[in-house]
């Protein structure tokens, strides 16, 4: 068989581990040929690809990024190509396609599948917000980076007697904030799923100071927002340079807490550091397993599915099921975290 | 309520995170009193304990070891105490006991439970070999340490054109070897569950050298052993100092491979480094959740159980079910790993 | 003897290692008594201190922050106290004072010394900008944190074909930017010592893209600034919340580069993560040596000095010499860095 | 000019950073051609080399090992080639040679230089034992790895109430043991420079236990040895497999301490993990500077020298001076370490 692989969407530690695993299983066990499309779906549409043999994937297991490159989906061009799916497949001559990506990528994969392309998807997101899989690779690395940052910030917060507001990634789902907040020992966690009231945070900080703990760390997802009417934070204003002047919820919240508390509060925005670099062991293992199972599914002809972790097993689940709704943080997971504030 | 906590058995990253979580949930939410028995079951038998309030567990989340100490079980004394369980409970006046430990500890917990002591166990082992739970905390940290070591060894193996044999922990189950071998990109993995033939490893190394890859890394669980008749490795001999002269399977295998291959092979024994120090974010979250759910189970009166991870949920499972057999690496997990050798 | 220790100024990894070393050398070798003033000079002025024995400093070597706390210098109150130095010494009854801190702290130490207080200073700054010493502890940790961040950002920059602008600490001296930029493989470095022209950065990025390298990382000290007339970056404006709306040079430069290049450019502001947490081995060794030599200087009566690293030796240098001018990055160090852009 | 580069001797983090720096400075600034000899001096003797341009060294800064490979010196063949140095130079047509290596490599470099080959050496050793330079790259990484291991072992030693003996690298000089012992907070350090008496270690451990500290960590250089007559440790015996049965001083000392103390003592042998993998920021900067200055020296015609760190400067020192004696740990550095035992 000839199997095509591509990576699309934002960077995510573990992409290379999936590619390597697909190549190893396909080439060594099945004697397949593997080709890698360059720059995500753009390479598929253009017929830009290169052969991937064992040497091509040697030494990439622990490397961040993707050797295949990535790009944003050109929606119109993609939709047009789907109308002519047969031609798309013939241009590069593959028997199966393994797209590795997040919600957008998998939705596109589903469109291809509906158009008759033999597809097995592999879910990827540092945000851990894809339904139907217990975890996605990249998430553990992101949580690890954010946790290590909070470990460092705590000693500084303590010696300066300060409040630190750490903004982590997560626009629509708060998994990174939840788990790094728990692991980093944050005293407050704000999630997109749960509008916060700054007054609660003020109360928490004041109670800590009253108990003799002269610092606090608050972990905020970038998509978190205050409950209506609890805080004026200037979202939506545009400055003279044409950039939105809202500096993100972490910065806005730090200003607000400093104003209300009369104590120093400082924002730290972790940003892209969370989505690059060497994956953790956990993510390498999960990515490797996903690659292996994708090849197995290809050879069993189970198209229209994606790999998913369910307990300790990797299963196939329909793409349709995976992309219809976001997996958000349920209330009981927040309650667990809340108890150690 | 008055809840007693103890930690028993070998060191495991995450123990302090469980203790902290138990105290936070019990004290803050339920207004309970928590006491910590010192040095494992020894403290329970002696009535040696100290009160644990929020200050006592401040700052311990990220610290390895256990603030309560640990010790080996004195079996006879313990069995005798079980015959008089009522007295045991009255001596320290607790309403529920939360023992945190591995198979031995949980078996003892079951004995206490059978004797009428209200017990909720928390499983702990870096080996990940406890049935009924998808994972145990400590395992992710151990795998991370071993993986980082393999990352480092690979560059050295490559520049010296050497074979490296890395021995990791795992006497009866090979989970650490399996996952760190996969994550570290080992070219061979030897597990206790699956006797190995050195001839297979020789063949793999020779094929790699033939392909131009002038090095190999082999990951061996300390409990791995050769298939009958495939290798003479001197197990059981005693030297003049009264120590067993068998230096462990990693060293024995390195010698054997060097002899057969005529190439340099070096053993690296990672040892106790794998079971100490700061837990990973994953282990801190799991340990925190286990502590939280143990307190909930205590308040629901669900005694005789232990916490267990099932998919993304923490459930209660009967102690009886958890300790009857070891969770070993199944054949299909090994097949996944094998494909990237 | 009775030796007083205090830590003042911003957080810096290695402070606890100095305190521990002072206590060990003084108590074990000389049989001294050591007291620790709380919250920097504030504790000295108030006579707030606690005894420091071996137990008090047990387990703190690898911990960030300072067990003694820190605070900003109240200049007027401090100057007044200096006028009455004798009383200050008598209040707490110490024979020698070891203040650990940055330029402000050491300047204050010099005032005390001039007023007759027996002082041996220990320099501390993550910025490495104190004259008379080759290095200060804390700097290596800060550089390590910034380098690790750049390692991670590179894979993301590459897969997104982006320019990343990383802002690191360094208001007046660019040592952190210089060394983390070199270690992290930055393609441009902007230092306070050397006003930059955005046009040069634009040229560098365009040349990289022309060579097929579709990303770039630029490392900017927070105190870096454009050469006059090369870039309008809005410094000094105040927004409706009373905060300066200038978001820092990293953010301003990213916007500017995006505008000029027509390519995505993203800022990452590392912030306080650089000054907290576990010190590197290098910083622990240097801090431990400084503590040891401070005690030796006290017993030799060499007051009015501070410890300094000179080559491989720790020497005593006059406080006066150390605080008169900042140690900035010389032109030839920048030339070394420039060659690998 | 045409500059040849080679790496020889054991693995050392930072080798690739030197190669990269040489290429960048020579190609970009001087328009030189750079060639890399393969597998150390073997490639020089055989005329096996490849061109090194900017692309060839892209992405290697943070990678351990050496892209050029390494090998042991074939002394006789090398000596014979030196007799015909002119031919050696003509075969590959280089104008200057930059060998990067340890004592053996630099001694060979000196022989080449004496034979008329234009040579500028770059010193490399994780052991930090080369005279004339304050530090060598690779050392900081090795110390960092050993320190992190000790951080982890301490929590385990404490919870098991054990003595841990950690054997680190250093056959003839104890720098790694000294600095990682200080940074890791070891309670005893044994160096090759200073025969130890096990009775002193027993005393130290007993005093710790008497003070309530129920564990100890001892850091031992692999080349450390007991003072005459203080301990029988079976060095020199050969077992039935033809291997020396002496398992190293770490293991021997752990056995001895266990016997004398009647407490559990465990050896941990860190081994090759110390010499592989990603270099620390410190080592990357030093390696990059060494490469830059080597090219400068080549262009100034300062042959027969090697790069050396002196304080904060990189200087040229005669190869003759550098290789005549080993830089060992002086007594006063040990005294500094001793005070925090």
């Amino acid at each position: 068989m000839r199997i095509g692989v591509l990576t699309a969407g934002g960077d995510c530690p573990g992409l290379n581990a999936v590619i390597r695993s697909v190549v190893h299983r396909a080439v060594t066990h099945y004697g397949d040929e593997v080709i890698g499309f360059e720059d995500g779906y753009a390479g598929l549409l253009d017929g830009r690809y290169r052969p991937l043999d064992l040497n091509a994937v040697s030494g990439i297991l622990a490397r961040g990024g993707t050797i295949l490159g990535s790009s944003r989906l050109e929606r119109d061009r993609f939709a047009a190509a789907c109308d002519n799916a047969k031609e798309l497949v013939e241009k590069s001559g593959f028997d199966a396609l393994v797209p590795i990506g997040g919600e957008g990528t998998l939705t596109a994969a589903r469109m291809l599948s509906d158009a008759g392309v033999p597809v097995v998807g592999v879910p990827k997101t540092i945000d851990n917000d894809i339904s139907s899989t217990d975890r996605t690779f990249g998430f553990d690395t992101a949580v690890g980076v954010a946790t290590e940052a909070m470990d460092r910030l705590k000693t500084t917060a303590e010696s300066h007697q300060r409040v630190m507001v750490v903004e982590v990634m997560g626009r629509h789902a708060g998994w990174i904030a939840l788990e790094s907040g728990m692991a980093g020992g944050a005293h407050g966690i704000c999630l997109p799923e749960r509008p916060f009231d700054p007054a609660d945070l003020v109360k928490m900080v004041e109670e800590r100071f009253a108990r003799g703990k002269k610092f606090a760390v608050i972990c905020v997802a970038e998509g978190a927002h205050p409950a209506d009417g609890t805080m004026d934070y200037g979202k939506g204003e545009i400055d003279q340079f044409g950039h939105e002047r809202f500096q993100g919820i972490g910065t806005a919240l730090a200003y607000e807490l400093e104003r209300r508390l009369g104590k120093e509060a400082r924002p730290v925005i972790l940003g892209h550091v969370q989505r690059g670099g060497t994956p953790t062991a956990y993510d390498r293992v999960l990515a490797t397993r996903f690659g292996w199972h994708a090849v197995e599914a290809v050879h069993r002809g189970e198209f229209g599915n994606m790999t998913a972790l369910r307990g300790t097993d990797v299963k196939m689940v329909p793409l349709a099921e995976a992309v219809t709704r976001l997996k958000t943080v349920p209330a009981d997971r927040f309650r667990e975290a809340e108890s150690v504030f």
Side-chain angles (χ1 to χ4, degrees), chain A residues 78-95:
Chain A
F78 184 81
C82 282
D83 292 344
N84 228 328
K86 210 170 171 181
E87 196 186 298
L88 199 64
V89 172
E90 277 163 7
K91 181 158 50 180
S92 310
F94 58 83
D95 303 300

Side-chain angles (χ1 to χ4, degrees), chain A residues 6-329:
Chain A
L6 64 82
T7 53
D11 194 20
C12 182
L15 288 169
N16 283 326
V18 182
I19 298 169
R20 172 179 174 268
S21 180
V22 166
V23 171
H24 271 271
R25 184 65 179 169
V27 171
T28 310
H29 189 73
Y30 290 108
D32 293 337
E33 188 186 350
V34 181
I35 59 174
F37 290 103
E38 290 173 359
D39 303 328
Y41 285 114
L44 177 69
L45 299 187
D46 302 343
R48 273 189 295 119
Y49 60 85
R50 56 178 196 264
L52 293 177
D53 59 10
L54 296 188
N55 276 333
V57 298
S58 174
I60 67 171
L61 170 61
R63 258 183 247 166
T66 159
I67 58 166
L68 294 176
S70 181
S71 68
R72 292 224 180 107
L73 193 66
E74 301 162 276
R75 292 188 183 276
D76 293 348
R77 214 182 137 214
F78 184 81
C82 282
D83 292 344
N84 228 328
K86 210 170 171 181
E87 196 186 298
L88 199 64
V89 172
E90 277 163 7
K91 181 158 50 180
S92 310
F94 58 83
D95 303 300
L97 182 69
V98 178
I100 311 164
E103 232 219 338
T105 304
L106 295 174
T107 302
R110 189 188 166 187
M111 287 169 66
L112 284 173
S113 180
D114 289 348
V117 179
V119 169
V120 174
V122 172
K124 167 234 80 164
T125 163
I126 64 162
D127 291 326
N128 198 35
D129 58 2
I130 294 181
S131 288
S132 306
T133 182
D134 286 357
R135 290 215 157 197
T136 47
F137 63 85
F139 172 62
D140 191 65
T141 304
V143 169
V145 168
T147 300
E148 200 188 311
M150 263 177 285
D151 283 352
R152 291 200 172 274
L153 289 168
K154 276 189 139 173
T155 74
T156 289
E158 190 166 10
S159 67
H160 287 232
Q161 308 204 347
R162 257 184 200 162
V163 176
M164 290 279 184
V165 178
V166 185
E167 186 185 298
V168 300
M169 285 194 160
R171 242 170 246 177
H172 308 292
W175 291 104
I176 294 177
L178 178 81
E179 298 224 344
S180 68
M182 284 178 87
H187 309 104
I189 298 178
C190 303
L191 310 179
E193 291 88 344
R194 198 188 150 86
F196 64 88
D197 184 339
D200 294 338
L201 296 166
V202 165
K203 192 166 156 247
M204 177 276 293
V205 174
E206 284 177 340
E207 282 172 6
R208 279 184 63 78
F209 274 69
R211 275 197 292 136
K213 301 282 175 189
K214 303 293 191 194
F215 73 103
V217 173
I218 295 165
C219 180
V220 188
E222 61 182 329
H225 48 87
D228 286 349
T230 58
M231 175 179 151
D232 172 22
Y233 63 113
K235 184 145 191 181
E237 295 167 54
I238 304 298
D239 76 4
Q240 74 201 87
F241 304 106
H243 287 281
E244 194 182 8
R245 269 309 203 175
F246 169 56
Q247 300 182 22
I249 189 62
T251 305
L253 180 56
Y255 288 170
E256 183 74 12
L257 291 178
E258 183 164 311
R259 198 179 59 75
R260 293 201 192 189
L261 285 161
K263 296 180 204 306
E264 279 191 10
R266 290 282 176 280
V268 174
I269 317 302
L270 293 182
H272 289 85
V273 181
Q274 295 161 85
R275 58 163 71 254
T278 295
T280 58
Y282 183 97
D283 283 339
R284 297 187 206 174
V285 170
L286 183 58
T288 299
R289 296 184 73 192
F290 274 6
W292 193 92
H293 284 274
V295 174
E296 293 301 294
V298 163
H299 278 272
R300 288 194 308 263
E302 296 182 3
F303 299 111
N305 292 304
M306 70 165 204
T307 57
L309 181 69
R310 295 281 178 91
T312 58
D313 296 327
V314 177
K315 305 277 191 192
M316 288 294 136
V317 299
L319 282 165
E321 191 182 301
V323 298
T324 39
R325 61 178 187 81
L326 214 63
K327 185 179 70 179
T328 53
V329 177

